[in-house]
Amino acid sequence: MNSDNRKFLEQSCLERKFLEYLPADLSAILTGLGLPQFRLNQIRRWIFARKTMSFDKMTDLSKETRKILTEQFGSVLQGRESAHHQSDDSTEKLLIEWSDGERVECVLLRDNRNHRTACISTQVGCAMGCVFCASGRDGFVRNLSRGEILEQFLRLNSLLPDHERLTHVVVMGIGEPLLNLDALLSALNEATASEGLDLSVRRVTISTVGIPSGIRKLAESVVRNGKGYKLAVSLHAPNDELRTQIIPQNRFSGIDEILKASDDYFEQTGRRVTFEYTLIAGLNDQPEHIQQLVRLLKNRTAIINIIPLNPVLGLNFQTPSAKTVAWFAGQLELKGIQVKVRFRKGDKIGAACGQLRRVHRTNPTITD
Ligand code: SAH
C-alpha cells in the first residue's frame, strides 16, 4: 500500500468524497481495501450509465463490497439538494448545498431538438462583479472542487428519464471558469470520457469573462489533451470605456488583449470563438455600438450571441424590446457578422446566473 492509500484509509469516512478522486487514485484505494480492479469499472458504470448514486443499490456488487464502500465513502454524492425548481418550459434548476453550508445552482435545459443541456457552476459566488449579473453581488466565496463540479453533472443527468442523458454542457453558471480551470478540466474529463458520461467534447462550451492568460492556458490544455472545448467570451460592450463600466475586470486586460487571446485559441484549436453580448436597454444597444462591434469582429471567424438581459431583482437594468433586439441582430447580420439570438429559458425560476442562490439567501423562509 503506498502512502497515499494509507493516508486515505486513516481519514475519517466523512472526509472521503468519492468524486474527488481520479480514477487512478480510486483504483489504488480499492486495491488498498482488498477489492479487485474490475470493481471500479462496475461502480463507474452504475454511477455514469445507470445514474445510481447509492453504493447499496449497486446490486452486482457483493453485500460485503457494498458495505465496505458505504463505510468508506458514505454516498457517491457529497452535497444535499436544497431546492429544486421546475419552470413551464421544462427547465429545471437545482440548488445544491455542500458540507460547508455554501450553495451553488445548476440548470437542466431541454429544447425541441432533443438537446439536454447542463448549465454548471464553477465557483461559490464570483469575483468579476459584472454589474448586471446576480452571481457576483455578494462577492466571491471559494472555488468548487472537481467532485463538486462533477456532482452537478450527475444530479442533472439523474433528472432525465432512464433512456435520456445529457447531450450538451454550458459552463455558464456561477463563477469564472478560467479562474478554477484545473478543477473544471478534471471534472470535464470525466464528463467526456467514454466510460464516464460520454458527452461529446464538441458540445461543451466554456464561457469566460475574458481572461487572456486563462484563455491561453485552456488552449494549451486543448492542444495537449485533444479535447477541443468550445470557448465563449462575454464581450457585452464594443469599447473599453463601456466594457469596464459593465465588467470591472476589463480594466486588467482590455478588449484588444482578449481578442488576441481568442484569435490564438481559434488558431491553435480550430474552434471558432463565440462572443456573448448581453443586450441592456439604453446601455449597449445603440447604433454606434453596432458600428464598433462590426469593426471589432468583421475580420474574425467569430459568432456573436445576443442575449437579451434577464432582469435581476434589485438591479436597475432593463431588457430591450423584442424590436430592438431584432434590429440590433439584423444590423450586425447586414454587415456580414454571424449572429444568434439566445432564447431566455427558465425566467420564472430565476435561471440567470446566481439568482436562485441569492433568493434563498435573502429569504431563508422560502419553501420548495
Ligand atoms: N463568468 C462567465 C460565466 C458567466 S454566465 C462569463 O462571464 O462568461 C454566462 C453568461 O451569461 C455570461 O455572458 C454572463 O455575462 C451572462 N449573464 C449573466 N447574468 C445575466 C443576466 N442577468 N442576463 C443576461 N445575461 C447574463
Side-chain angles (χ1 to χ4, degrees):
M1 196 188 300
N2 67 27
S3 64
D4 278 354
N5 280 357
R6 201 167 299 116
K7 208 167 79 203
F8 169 82
L9 290 172
E10 283 162 5
Q11 281 178 336
S12 87
C13 168
L14 285 175
E15 286 173 50
R16 260 170 242 144
K17 293 168 177 166
F18 190 84
L19 296 177
E20 300 299 349
Y21 294 97
L22 296 171
D25 297 333
L26 277 176
S27 178
I29 288 163
L30 292 194
T31 306
L33 292 170
L35 299 174
Q37 279 309 298
F38 66 87
R39 291 280 177 243
L40 181 57
N41 294 339
Q42 268 177 302
I43 296 166
R44 284 171 62 85
R45 246 192 325 276
W46 276 107
I47 297 172
F48 291 111
R50 301 165 87 168
K51 306 178 186 177
T52 300
M53 303 303 147
S54 159
F55 294 113
D56 224 29
K57 294 195 177 132
M58 301 182 180
T59 47
D60 59 0
L61 305 179
S62 72
K63 277 202 174 132
E64 181 58 18
T65 303
R66 286 186 255 163
K67 188 165 162 264
I68 293 175
L69 291 168
T70 307
E71 276 168 8
Q72 294 298 324
F73 298 102
S75 164
V76 174
L77 302 178
Q78 46 184 293
R80 182 182 77 82
E81 181 181 302
S82 82
H84 180 179
H85 292 235
Q86 193 150 9
S87 79
D88 304 344
D89 63 12
S90 79
T91 299
E92 288 182 68
K93 186 163 198 168
L94 298 177
L95 188 67
I96 307 172
E97 183 174 323
W98 308 112
S99 48
D100 62 358
E102 294 298 344
R103 295 159 168 189
V104 294
E105 45 202 82
C106 54
V107 186
L108 171 67
L109 301 131
R110 296 171 160 99
D111 71 8
N112 50 16
R113 292 175 297 170
N114 273 335
H115 290 183
R116 303 288 179 258
T117 303
C119 176
I120 58 153
S121 296
T122 52
Q123 299 181 316
V124 181
C126 183
M128 300 299 98
C130 302
V131 292
F132 58 89
C133 177
S135 298
R137 290 199 67 204
D138 302 310
F140 170 73
V141 181
R142 68 170 172 87
N143 278 335
L144 292 181
S145 65
R146 154 202 152 88
E148 289 168 336
I149 297 174
L150 193 50
E151 178 160 336
Q152 297 173 62
F153 287 112
L154 294 176
R155 284 182 179 271
L156 294 173
N157 198 42
S158 298
L159 296 179
L160 294 167
D162 283 349
H163 62 281
E164 285 185 18
R165 60 189 189 87
L166 294 174
T167 61
H168 291 71
V169 175
V170 291
V171 185
M172 294 186 182
I174 300 173
E176 170 45 47
L178 298 190
L179 294 181
N180 189 16
L181 192 56
D182 292 343
L184 172 64
L185 291 178
S186 180
L188 284 178
N189 237 345
E190 300 278 2
T192 56
S194 55
E195 72 286 4
L197 280 177
D198 201 18
L199 276 152
S200 157
V201 167
R202 303 191 70 78
R203 293 173 166 187
V204 175
T205 303
I206 300 175
S207 174
T208 176
V209 75
I211 297 171
S213 57
I215 295 175
R216 293 184 197 286
K217 193 171 156 199
L218 178 62
E220 273 165 33
S221 155
V222 166
V223 170
R224 198 171 48 244
N225 302 315
K227 297 219 170 192
Y229 301 122
K230 196 166 158 184
L231 179 69
V233 173
S234 297
L235 190 58
H236 302 331
N239 64 67
D240 276 326
E241 195 188 338
L242 182 59
R243 192 168 190 272
T244 302
Q245 193 186 324
I246 299 177
I247 307 177
Q249 172 73 18
N250 189 59
R251 69 188 185 278
F252 299 115
S253 53
I255 293 175
D256 270 2
E257 277 304 302
I258 296 169
L259 292 181
K260 259 186 228 143
S262 307
D263 290 345
D264 291 346
Y265 190 86
F266 173 54
E267 200 167 295
Q268 289 167 18
T269 66
R271 299 237 54 193
R272 275 198 302 181
V273 176
T274 298
F275 292 97
E276 294 162 283
Y277 197 96
T278 293
L279 212 53
I280 307 170
L283 192 64
N284 60 1
D285 63 348
Q286 301 299 303
E288 71 263 25
H289 301 133
I290 293 172
Q291 286 164 16
Q292 293 166 2
L293 264 178
V294 170
R295 233 174 285 140
L296 286 181
L297 299 182
K298 75 168 181 283
N299 293 322
R300 293 192 148 87
T301 321
I303 303 173
I304 188 150
N305 243 341
I306 308 279
I307 318 164
L309 178 78
N310 198 344
V312 172
L313 209 68
L315 291 180
N316 201 16
F317 295 105
Q318 313 298 330
T319 312
S321 67
K323 204 170 142 203
T324 303
V325 175
W327 166 79
F328 198 91
Q331 290 295 306
L332 288 171
E333 257 169 347
L334 273 179
K335 303 280 186 212
I337 310 283
Q338 201 176 328
V339 186
K340 272 190 200 155
V341 178
R342 204 199 290 159
F343 297 104
R344 280 161 37 191
K345 281 185 167 276
D347 283 15
K348 289 203 189 109
I349 55 168
C353 318
Q355 292 201 52
L356 191 59
R357 175 170 170 262
R358 289 206 87 240
V359 168
H360 277 254
R361 216 154 117 147
T362 48
N363 185 5
T365 55
I366 204 162
T367 51
D368 305 305

